[in-house]
Amino acid sequence: QLQLVESGGGLVQAGGSLRLSCARSEFTLGYYAIGWFRQAPGKAREGVSCISRSGGTTNYADSVKGRFTISRDNHKNTVYLQMNSLKPEDTAVYYCAAVMTTVQALCVMTPNEYDYWGQGTRVTVSS
């Protein structure tokens, strides 16, 4: 079963940057669309960004547009989430998720669409 591993979380001051990684070397992530989600304490899990199999299609939540960038390197079986200009409201546990698809442009930010999840990495932004 595909299990993803997130890394790159941590504590950062407001205005700072972090880069999250989502990887699983034993599998070819190029067959999967990938999504990033986050869950803050007491809140529902929300979609942050997604990227299609080839990387040609991306999407972002309105709250992170212009600050976050998703990308992927299929040769390294890794998907990245570059987070700039971080705000305290970005504080959450961030999860990556994968869904195998034959649709090249598939890119969705609905958690129920994804089959495989990582354990999450915590991001804390101090004011």
Side-chain angles (χ1 to χ4, degrees):
Q1 183 178 0
L2 175 64
Q3 187 166 3
L4 304 167
V5 178
E6 302 98 334
S7 61
L11 173 63
V12 64
Q13 288 187 332
S17 298
L18 286 173
R19 189 176 78 159
L20 306 184
S21 297
C22 172
R24 188 64 185 185
S25 60
E26 293 86 346
F27 294 92
T28 304
L29 283 186
Y31 294 131
Y32 297 81
I34 303 294
W36 280 100
F37 298 83
R38 65 186 181 186
Q39 188 165 19
K43 295 188 176 181
R45 189 169 296 188
E46 63 172 346
V48 174
S49 184
C50 63
I51 188 166
S52 60
R53 285 179 46 170
S54 65
T57 302
T58 60
N59 199 6
Y60 299 91
D62 288 342
S63 58
V64 306
K65 279 181 182 176
R67 300 189 298 122
F68 290 12
T69 302
I70 192 170
S71 61
R72 67 190 300 159
D73 185 338
N74 285 341
H75 294 293
K76 295 183 179 179
N77 278 336
T78 304
V79 175
Y80 305 98
L81 185 68
Q82 178 67 43
M83 306 187 298
N84 298 329
S85 302
L86 282 162
K87 304 175 181 180
E89 50 263 45
D90 294 318
T91 295
V93 178
Y94 284 71
Y95 301 88
C96 66
V99 58
M100 182 179 281
T101 179
T102 59
V103 179
Q104 292 287 345
L106 181 69
C107 176
V108 293
M109 295 199 297
T110 306
N112 290 344
E113 297 288 338
Y114 288 85
D115 299 316
Y116 306 104
W117 292 81
Q119 296 299 308
T121 185
R122 186 174 301 274
V123 172
T124 304
V125 184
S126 62
S127 57

